[in-house]
């Protein structure tokens, strides 16, 4: 039984439903990601952004709807799940590097063991990628010897080295110091410029605006509003989005003259 | 102190020590494998076997080694399974140690955490690959202190082997006391020989623990 891939479409989420017991986290959510597209997902804490990403590579089971990668369903418990996950790169908020391996071994593990590629070839590629993110001197360091930003760049290289069809970024700068945020975001921006397909969850609105082809605003597990970054950030249509965006701007009232 | 008695009997103790160490380490080796097997069964949540492991662990941890040895040595032949004293010693130690090792590994695996597992899965590693390359190496490092403590504990437990007529250190000491009434000398030799066996193990253990401390990782 063949599956007909829809041309240009990388990822298709249709009518996804996710609940923990009685508590609905994602409700009837549909989203399509096309080749080379960068979709940024924003929204308040607890709106289901991270859960959505975790549902995409079936780290979470879902209670309805489906996720398809190039037409192939991603199903928790299915036999070919590891192979499908190889095509979905994921970068976590807390890096989740393997602490007992060097940077290079972290990157090489999955391409060599899961994809069965040649060690020498993978090493070469890993070193080239590390060089591109400015970590060529850290190849033999252990994660504990790296700064947060360096760890996160390593994690991005680790995902990239698998040659994924799509990259998922789950609030990858949330655990970083402000200065390190920039070095990580620049790497992601660079990937966007190379035409990688990405789904980015972030709280960095400036960055979201710069990188997104399409912004999705999630609230209460539903897509509340979506549009181009200009539309969304400059002319939000819904009250909910306006209120959300307002939390990022600060204004001080005019100074009151001092009374005695 | 009768020094002549001590020097003439040292060879006897040495022989017994070799036997104790042989059976001790064989038993511990099997215990490690058994513990690992149990932990993998529990970790993979293999249906029926998982229950069996739970029963085994409770049974093994809550009964004394002496009684386990009696069961194996005197009980098993009754149902047609013949064991010699040495095999019985190894089996007894493995039966006792397997549960302790399983618990040590389990705490290690639990300390590694679900996020590491998810990280490996998201890279497309299979379950077995995740266990082998990501979970176990970290779990071993984390459980090293408990593991070393178990090895020392099990080596000390070998002192009950004499009960199934193994010519181990304890047996030799009791034998000599019975024959010559040189209680002080016999017991002093016993202590010295146990120390000779256990001190190197302890020292090696603390070196191992220090080497593996990087498993404390830090973020």
């Amino acid at each position: 039984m063949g599956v007909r891939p829809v041309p240009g479409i990388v990822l298709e989420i249709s009518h996804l439903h996710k609940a923990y017991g009685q508590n609905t986290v994602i409700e009837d959510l549909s989203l399509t990601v096309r080749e080379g597209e960068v979709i940024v997902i924003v929204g308040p804490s607890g709106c289901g952004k991270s859960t959505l990403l975790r549902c995409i590579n079936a780290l979470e089971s879902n209670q309805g709807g489906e996720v398809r990668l190039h037409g192939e369903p991603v199903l928790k418990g299915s036999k070919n799940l590891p192979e499908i996950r190889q095509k979905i790169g994921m970068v976590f908020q807390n890096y989740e590097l393997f602490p007992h391996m060097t940077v290079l071994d972290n990157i090489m593990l999955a391409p060599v063991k899961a994809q069965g590629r040649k060690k020498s070839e993978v090493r070469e590629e890993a070193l080239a990628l590390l060089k591109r993110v400015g970590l060529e001197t850290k190849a033999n360091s252990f994660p504990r010897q790296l700064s947060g930003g360096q760890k996160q760049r390593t994690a991005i290289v680790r995902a990239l080295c698998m040659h994924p069809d799509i990259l998922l970024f789950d609030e990858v700068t949330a655990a970083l110091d402000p200065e390190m945020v920039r070095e990580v975001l620049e790497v992601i921006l660079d990937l966007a410029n190379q035409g990688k397909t990405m789904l980015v969850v972030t709280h960095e609105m400036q960055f979201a605006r710069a990188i997104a082809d399409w912004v999705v605003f999630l609230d209460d597990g539903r897509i509340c509003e979506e549009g181009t970054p200009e539309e969304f950030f400059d002319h939000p249509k819904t009250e909910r989005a306006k209120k959300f965006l307002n939390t990022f701007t600060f204004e001080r009232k005019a100074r009151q003259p001092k009374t005695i | 102190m009768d020094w002549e008695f001590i020097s003439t009997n040292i060879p006897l103790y040495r022989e017994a020590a070799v036997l104790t160490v042989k059976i001790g380490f064989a038993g511990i080796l099997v215990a490690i494998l058994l513990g690992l097997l149990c932990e993998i069964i529990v970790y993979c949540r293999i249906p029926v076997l998982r229950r069996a492991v739970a029963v085994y662990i409770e049974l093994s941890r809550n009964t004394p080694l002496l009684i386990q040895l009696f069961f194996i040595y005197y009980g098993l032949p009754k149902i047609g399974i013949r064991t010699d004293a040495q095999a019985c010693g190894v089996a007894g130690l493995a039966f006792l140690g397997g549960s302790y090792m399983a618990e040590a590994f389990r705490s290690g695996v639990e300390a590694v955490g679900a996020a590491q597992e998810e990280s490996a899965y998201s890279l497309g590693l299979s379950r077995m690959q995740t266990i082998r390359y990501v979970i176990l190496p970290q779990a071993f490092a984390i459980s090293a202190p408990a593991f070393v403590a178990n090895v020392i504990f099990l080596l000390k437990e070998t002192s009950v082997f004499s009960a199934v007529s193994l010519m181990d250190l304890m047996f030799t000491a009791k034998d000599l006391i019975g024959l010559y009434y040189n209680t002080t000398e016999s017991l002093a030799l016993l202590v010295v020989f146990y120390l000779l066996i256990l001190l190197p193990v302890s020292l090696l253990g603390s070196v191992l623990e220090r080497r593996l401390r990087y498993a404390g990782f830090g973020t």
Side-chain angles (χ1 to χ4, degrees):
Chain A
M1 194 180 73
V3 195
R4 186 172 61 97
V6 182
I9 289 181
V10 177
L11 187 80
E12 213 178 354
I13 304 165
S14 42
H15 306 290
L16 188 69
H17 185 82
K18 166 77 196 169
Y20 295 106
Q22 292 293 308
N23 187 10
T24 301
V25 187
I26 291 172
E27 207 179 338
D28 193 26
L29 188 146
S30 299
L31 183 68
T32 305
V33 187
R34 294 191 179 73
E35 190 83 47
E37 210 173 23
V38 179
I39 295 188
V40 173
I41 303 171
V42 296
S45 299
C47 69
K49 306 182 295 275
S50 294
T51 309
L52 173 61
L53 289 196
R54 294 166 56 81
C55 282
I56 290 174
N57 65 2
L59 285 179
E60 299 279 351
S61 58
N62 62 53
Q63 278 71 50
E66 60 172 7
V67 176
R68 283 172 179 272
L69 183 78
H70 282 307
E72 245 185 302
V74 188
L75 273 178
K76 200 176 168 91
S78 78
K79 257 224 151 77
N80 65 342
L81 187 56
E83 278 110 84
I84 295 184
R85 278 173 171 160
Q86 286 166 23
K87 300 179 211 155
I88 306 176
M90 180 138 180
V91 185
F92 297 87
Q93 181 177 336
N94 292 317
Y95 336 116
E96 298 306 339
L97 297 176
F98 305 130
H100 59 299
M101 294 181 191
T102 62
V103 164
L104 195 59
D105 288 339
N106 259 282
I107 299 167
M108 288 174 61
L109 177 69
V112 172
K113 301 295 177 194
Q115 291 179 320
R117 280 154 62 192
K118 276 240 285 291
K119 254 189 171 167
S120 54
E121 172 238 338
V122 176
R123 176 176 289 122
E124 214 167 286
E125 184 183 356
L127 289 172
L129 285 170
L130 280 174
K131 194 173 166 129
R132 211 155 76 201
V133 300
L135 290 176
E136 65 271 32
T137 57
K138 300 289 182 190
N140 295 312
S141 304
F142 282 92
R144 68 178 185 284
Q145 299 164 318
L146 305 180
S147 72
Q150 291 169 334
K151 279 185 219 177
Q152 199 56 293
R153 282 183 278 159
T154 303
I156 292 173
V157 169
R158 186 174 69 170
L160 273 178
C161 211
M162 296 292 290
H163 305 153
D165 294 345
I166 183 168
L167 281 161
L168 312 178
F169 292 93
D170 186 8
E171 295 190 41
V172 291
T173 59
L176 296 177
D177 291 340
E179 278 173 56
M180 294 171 181
V181 169
R182 185 157 191 104
E183 66 187 47
V184 171
L185 294 185
E186 267 168 4
V187 170
I188 302 176
L189 207 56
D190 186 42
L191 293 175
N193 290 335
Q194 290 166 36
K196 296 261 192 279
T197 313
M198 304 196 274
L199 209 51
V200 184
V201 166
T202 183
H203 282 297
E204 306 282 337
M205 291 304 141
Q206 296 288 336
F207 172 68
R209 191 183 181 124
I211 199 173
D213 293 314
W214 193 251
V215 180
V216 171
F217 175 62
L218 223 59
D219 187 41
D220 250 345
R222 263 180 278 214
I223 294 179
C224 181
E225 184 172 338
E226 54 187 321
T228 64
E230 290 74 27
E231 280 167 9
F232 177 75
F233 288 107
D234 296 335
H235 311 288
K237 292 185 285 271
T238 58
E239 278 308 309
R240 186 68 192 88
K242 277 180 199 161
K243 204 173 144 220
F244 173 74
L245 287 170
N246 266 333
T247 57
F248 293 93
T249 54
F250 296 91
E251 270 170 61
R252 189 174 165 177
K253 284 182 187 145
R255 248 173 230 278
Q256 299 290 316
K258 274 219 171 97
T259 49
I260 306 160
Chain B
M1 196 73 90
D2 184 348
W3 294 105
E4 210 194 308
F5 175 84
I6 289 182
S7 64
T8 50
N9 283 304
I10 279 181
L12 215 58
Y13 273 88
R14 198 165 45 212
E15 217 173 289
V18 168
L19 183 75
T20 302
V21 167
K22 234 171 58 186
I23 296 176
F25 279 102
I28 288 169
L29 189 71
V30 180
I32 293 169
L33 295 176
L34 187 61
L36 200 59
L37 181 71
C38 287
E39 173 47 25
I40 288 176
I41 288 171
V42 172
Y43 176 83
C44 294
R45 302 200 192 92
I46 299 173
V48 181
L49 287 178
R50 186 183 165 199
R51 283 286 155 85
V53 166
V55 169
Y56 157 65
I57 286 179
E58 293 311 322
L59 194 65
S60 140
R61 291 210 306 171
N62 297 307
T63 51
L65 177 60
L66 187 60
I67 291 169
Q68 295 171 4
L69 283 176
F70 279 163
F71 249 92
I72 296 170
Y73 193 66
Y74 300 112
L76 288 186
K78 291 224 154 69
I79 56 168
I81 302 170
R82 294 245 158 257
T83 46
D84 66 9
Q86 293 202 13
C88 168
V90 171
L93 207 56
F95 184 84
L96 176 72
S99 60
Y100 280 86
M101 291 298 178
E103 291 295 276
F105 291 145
R106 188 176 59 86
S107 67
V109 166
E110 276 169 15
V112 174
Q116 283 282 307
E117 200 179 278
E118 289 177 350
S119 176
Y121 286 157
S122 78
L123 283 165
L125 292 170
S126 69
R127 197 176 171 80
M128 278 328 274
Q129 287 169 333
T130 300
I131 293 174
R132 177 160 166 212
Y133 300 113
V134 177
I135 308 291
L136 280 186
Q138 295 187 63
F140 279 140
I142 294 169
S143 53
F147 175 82
V148 170
N150 282 347
V151 169
I152 292 169
F153 155 73
L154 289 172
L155 278 176
K156 287 193 283 196
E157 286 293 302
T158 56
S159 56
V160 306
F161 283 168
S162 57
V164 290
S165 67
L166 265 173
M167 309 266 272
D168 73 333
L169 282 171
M170 194 70 195
F171 187 92
T172 305
K174 281 201 283 197
D175 205 28
L176 288 176
I177 292 170
L179 283 173
Y180 306 111
Y181 299 108
N182 276 339
T183 315
T184 317
E185 288 81 1
S186 301
L187 289 180
L189 274 170
L190 181 62
V191 169
V192 168
F193 268 90
Y194 259 110
L195 278 176
L196 282 177
I197 295 173
L198 282 159
L199 275 181
V201 176
S202 285
L203 288 175
L204 207 70
S206 41
V207 170
L208 180 78
E209 277 174 44
R210 221 168 311 134
R211 289 286 297 278
L212 288 173
R213 193 151 298 160
Y214 73 80
F217 313 130
T219 32

